[in-house]
């Protein structure tokens, strides 16, 4: 059974230089430029997408994950190219890079992001695993602490990175159990040092049920392991103490025109003041 995971519409050119051409696309009629088809049904491929130039060839690449299923989840990189097939079926086509989950049940690929967090000129592959059990995979004490992995961009990325036997370039551990660190991830240069930073959402699944945002600052010398349980490893923004408020959708942009990146947090299920 095929599982259509997402569709791609290529950019629309300007008409005579005066503005975009109005258009209508009906995907049910196959009018998209390309469709990506998951290798297995119901594995949530396409729930999170990101793009970045991971191999430095000047063309954006696509990044997506499969966050559910009975087997180890996977994250795929499909490198951009001048000619893209109308259908890409991952049941028969191998991605340019495939990452395999290190520990079963971590939901690696629940969130993905791209950005140059080490300042080397290549966008990096950033992957959330919000149900990871922290250092040593100790689920008895660090259940669902959450983990984030960084694979540095390179012109010679390997075809497969198996986190069961290989380490990512950087791993970030959540600060404690039941935090689900890595529910959403974005990159932005929040401190104007020229290097993108990591914005990572989390949720405390215990009283007072707060959502949190961690900012891990990018650097040309990021440590291979960052444990957010250690004070001073990240800036933290605390959400309100309310079980019905989920501040885990992150957006960024310079909204007041002062030259600094601003952060906004979406609240899909807010409790309104009485």
């Amino acid at each position: 059974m095929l599982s259509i995971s997402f569709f791609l519409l290529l950019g629309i050119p300007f008409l005579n230089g005066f503005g975009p051409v109005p258009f209508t696309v009906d995907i049910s009629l196959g009018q998209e430029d390309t469709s990506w088809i998951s290798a297995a049904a119901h594995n949530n491929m396409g729930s999170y997408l990101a793009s970045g130039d991971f191999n430095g060839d000047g063309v954006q690449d696509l990044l997506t994950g499969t966050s559910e299923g009975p087997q180890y989840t996977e994250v795929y990189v499909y490198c951009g190219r001048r000619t893209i097939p109308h259908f890409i079926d991952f049941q028969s086509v191998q991605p340019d890079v495939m990452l395999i989950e290190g520990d079963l049940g971590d939901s690696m690929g629940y969130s993905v992001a791209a950005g140059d967090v080490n300042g080397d000129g290549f966008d990096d592959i950033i992957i959330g695993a919000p149900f990871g059990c922290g250092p040593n995979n100790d689920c008895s004490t660090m259940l669902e602490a959450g983990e984030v992995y960084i694979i540095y961009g390179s012109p010679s990325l390997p075809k497969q990175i198996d986190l069961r036997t290989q380490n990512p370039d950087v791993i970030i551990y959540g600060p404690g159990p039941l935090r689900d660190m890595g529910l959403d991830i974005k990159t932005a240069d929040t401190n104007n040092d020229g290097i993108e930073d990591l914005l990572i959402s989390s949720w405390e699944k215990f009283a007072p049920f707060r959502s949190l945002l961690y900012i891990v600052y990018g650097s040309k010398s990021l440590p291979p392991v960052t444990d957010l349980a250690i004070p001073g490893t990240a800036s933290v923004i605390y959400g309100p103490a309310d079980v019905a408020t989920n501040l885990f959708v992150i957006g960024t942009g310079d909204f007041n025109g002062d030259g600094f990146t601003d952060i906004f947090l979406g609240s899909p299920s807010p409790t309104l003041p009485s």
Side-chain angles (χ1 to χ4, degrees), residues 18-208:
F18 293 110
V21 181
F23 68 94
T24 299
V25 172
D26 189 340
I27 291 175
S28 68
L29 299 177
Q31 295 176 351
E32 74 282 356
D33 291 293
T34 183
S35 303
W36 287 26
I37 303 172
S38 175
H42 311 300
N43 67 3
N44 281 357
M45 175 180 157
S47 295
Y48 277 85
L49 302 169
S51 65
D53 186 5
F54 305 121
N55 58 2
D57 65 354
V59 182
Q60 292 282 297
D61 312 312
L62 287 168
L63 173 66
T64 186
T66 65
S67 62
E68 287 190 6
Q71 306 300 321
Y72 288 88
T73 59
E74 299 169 347
V75 169
Y76 304 143
V77 175
Y78 185 82
C79 292
R81 56 207 74 190
R82 300 299 178 185
T83 302
I84 301 176
H86 184 63
F87 285 102
I88 300 173
D89 186 350
F90 285 111
Q91 293 185 93
S92 57
V93 175
Q94 288 294 310
D96 293 293
V97 181
M98 181 172 67
L99 294 95
I100 301 174
E101 182 178 49
D103 296 300
L104 189 64
D106 285 359
S107 284
M108 183 194 79
Y110 186 98
S111 58
V112 293
D116 184 7
V117 296
N118 65 342
D120 65 354
F122 294 88
D123 285 327
D124 305 312
I125 299 167
I126 304 162
I127 305 165
F131 303 142
C133 292
N136 304 314
N137 194 39
D138 186 359
C139 293
S140 63
T141 60
M142 292 290 283
L143 180 67
E144 297 181 7
E147 301 170 7
V148 170
Y149 314 123
I150 302 173
I151 307 295
Y152 289 143
S154 165
S156 56
L157 284 167
K159 290 286 292 183
Q160 180 172 292
I161 301 171
D162 189 340
L163 296 180
R164 293 171 295 186
T165 57
Q166 300 169 258
N167 291 323
D169 293 301
V170 175
I171 185 167
I172 302 170
Y173 292 117
L178 301 177
R179 307 296 178 98
D180 289 359
M181 192 270 300
L183 287 170
D184 192 17
I185 308 171
K186 293 291 187 295
T187 60
D189 184 7
T190 61
N191 57 357
N192 265 14
D193 66 351
I195 300 177
E196 291 183 273
D197 311 311
L198 282 163
L199 288 74
I200 308 170
S201 70
S202 178
W203 181 48
E204 293 179 339
K205 299 167 74 172
F206 50 86

